[in-house]
Amino acid sequence: MRGAGGLARAAIGIAVSVVAIALVLRSVDLAAALDALRRANVAWVALLVGLITVDVVLRAARWRLLLRPVAQVPFRATLQALLVGYLANNVLPARLGELVRSHVLGDRTGISRSTVLGTVVVERIVDTAVVVAIAAAAILVLSVRGIVASGVLVGLALTGLLVVVVAAGILAHRLPGADRVTALLDRWPQVRASLGRLREGLAVAGRPRTLASTVVISLGSWSCAVLGFAAAGQAVGLEPTIGQAALLAAGVNLATAVPSAPGYVGTFELAAIAIAASVGIPEAPALAMALLLHAVSLVLISISGAAVVARMGLVSLRPPAGSAPQPR
């Protein structure tokens, strides 16, 4: 049954991507977009590569910071697991790469995979909150209305829901009826143990200093993403303002929550075109900008992730010598 459910979700995602691609091809002059890509400025593309690289490094540093209350994890191990997870997101549906990187880091360091997954959940919520804040600020500055503004409001509501869920997970033992739930879980000791380890990872959200530092690093990471959209626009002959680039970076990321084929193919481009149109950017160069940024990101992340897989020999996934975590 689980396999059937996974196949159904994958089929839905592929169908959504096919529809998105059809809408893009129907509404945009593809020849003009490809011509803009052929004439892309190499210097701006090189800057885009640099910004994506810094973004990934900051994300690895952020994850390591979230892991610190649980165990001291080397930055290299964190970066490698992150890259493998991002590679998996490029080839698997439903953001399954988040589970993959939790598995990889847990296997390589000896930390419980459930605990690692808890820190990933906190990271994703912080990420979503920062993205929604950036999008909301951009909408106010640019006076954008319509479906784009509505999408941001949905993102805000989703963020609030996620915060409530995590808070409930952390404080589950204090909630009404907790004793009855605990007694029920006693029938399945392994499930109870896994939930306890997951809660240990979620508990890092209760550390104000850790959470504040995570938000700061997230702002740095998303600054790279915003500048990446600006660089991609400059490469194809556009001159987006920082406000427009911020709305594009945040809005397109929120759109990736919609089920799609691996790598967000189609939905990424459709969201970019729709958001660009809302701020007066023509569709053909907007598609060229989106294709350039998406392709560079997918290729760079995939090559880096594949190199890590080859180097680490992830067939066995045996923890390297001396990788035992140092509890704090």
Side-chain angles (χ1 to χ4, degrees):
M1 294 297 291
R2 291 181 182 177
L7 288 174
R9 287 193 296 271
I12 292 172
I14 291 172
V16 170
S17 284
V18 169
V19 171
I21 292 170
L23 291 173
V24 169
L25 295 177
R26 182 179 178 182
S27 60
V28 181
D29 185 344
L30 185 60
L34 293 177
D35 184 58
L37 278 175
R38 282 192 293 268
R39 294 183 287 104
N41 187 299
V42 176
W44 284 108
V45 174
L47 177 60
L48 174 60
V49 170
L51 288 167
I52 293 173
T53 301
V54 174
D55 186 5
V56 172
V57 170
L58 287 174
R59 288 172 183 270
R62 177 182 64 184
W63 191 22
R64 182 171 183 257
L65 178 66
L66 284 170
L67 287 161
R68 188 177 297 168
V70 178
Q72 286 282 14
V73 181
F75 174 78
R76 182 178 178 182
T78 309
L79 178 60
Q80 288 177 334
L82 186 76
L83 287 170
V84 174
Y86 284 176
L87 170 63
N89 273 337
N90 289 345
V91 298
L92 298 174
R95 288 191 181 272
L96 290 177
E98 310 300 357
L99 296 178
V100 172
R101 64 163 156 143
S102 299
H103 171 80
V104 170
L105 190 68
D107 245 16
R108 300 291 294 181
T109 63
I111 306 172
S112 164
R113 298 178 187 87
S114 297
T115 301
V116 175
L117 180 60
T119 66
V120 171
V121 171
V122 174
E123 177 203 271
R124 298 309 305 165
I125 292 175
V126 171
D127 227 16
T128 303
V130 171
V131 168
V132 169
I134 292 173
I139 282 176
L140 291 175
V141 170
L142 299 172
S143 300
V144 175
R145 299 290 184 270
I147 190 171
V148 174
S150 299
V152 173
L153 289 176
V154 171
L156 181 62
L158 177 62
T159 302
L161 176 62
L162 291 174
V163 169
V164 170
V165 169
V166 170
I170 296 174
L171 302 174
H173 61 294
R174 300 180 183 177
L175 296 177
D179 292 340
R180 282 177 291 180
V181 173
T182 299
L184 180 64
L185 288 175
D186 284 339
R187 302 177 185 178
W188 301 283
Q190 290 184 336
V191 173
R192 180 178 179 181
S194 294
L195 290 175
R197 290 190 289 267
L198 176 65
R199 181 174 169 272
E200 182 182 358
L202 293 175
V204 301
R207 294 173 173 262
R209 183 174 298 181
T210 297
L211 202 58
S213 300
T214 301
V215 171
V216 170
I217 296 176
S218 296
L219 288 171
S221 169
W222 280 103
S223 294
C224 290
V226 170
L227 293 175
F229 263 94
Q234 291 284 353
V236 299
L238 290 172
E239 294 184 358
T241 65
I242 291 299
Q244 290 172 334
L247 184 57
L248 281 162
V252 169
N253 179 267
L254 290 173
T256 60
V258 176
S260 65
Y264 322 115
V265 175
T267 53
F268 185 100
E269 287 73 21
L270 182 60
I273 293 169
I275 295 168
S278 74
V279 293
I281 297 176
E283 291 177 337
L287 176 58
M289 172 181 60
L291 287 173
L292 176 62
L293 192 146
H294 199 186
V296 170
S297 178
L298 285 176
V299 170
L300 187 61
I301 294 299
S302 296
I303 291 176
S304 301
V308 171
V309 170
R311 183 180 181 86
M312 292 171 64
L314 292 184
V315 175
S316 63
L317 287 176
R318 284 190 294 269
S323 65
Q326 302 172 17
R328 288 172 62 87

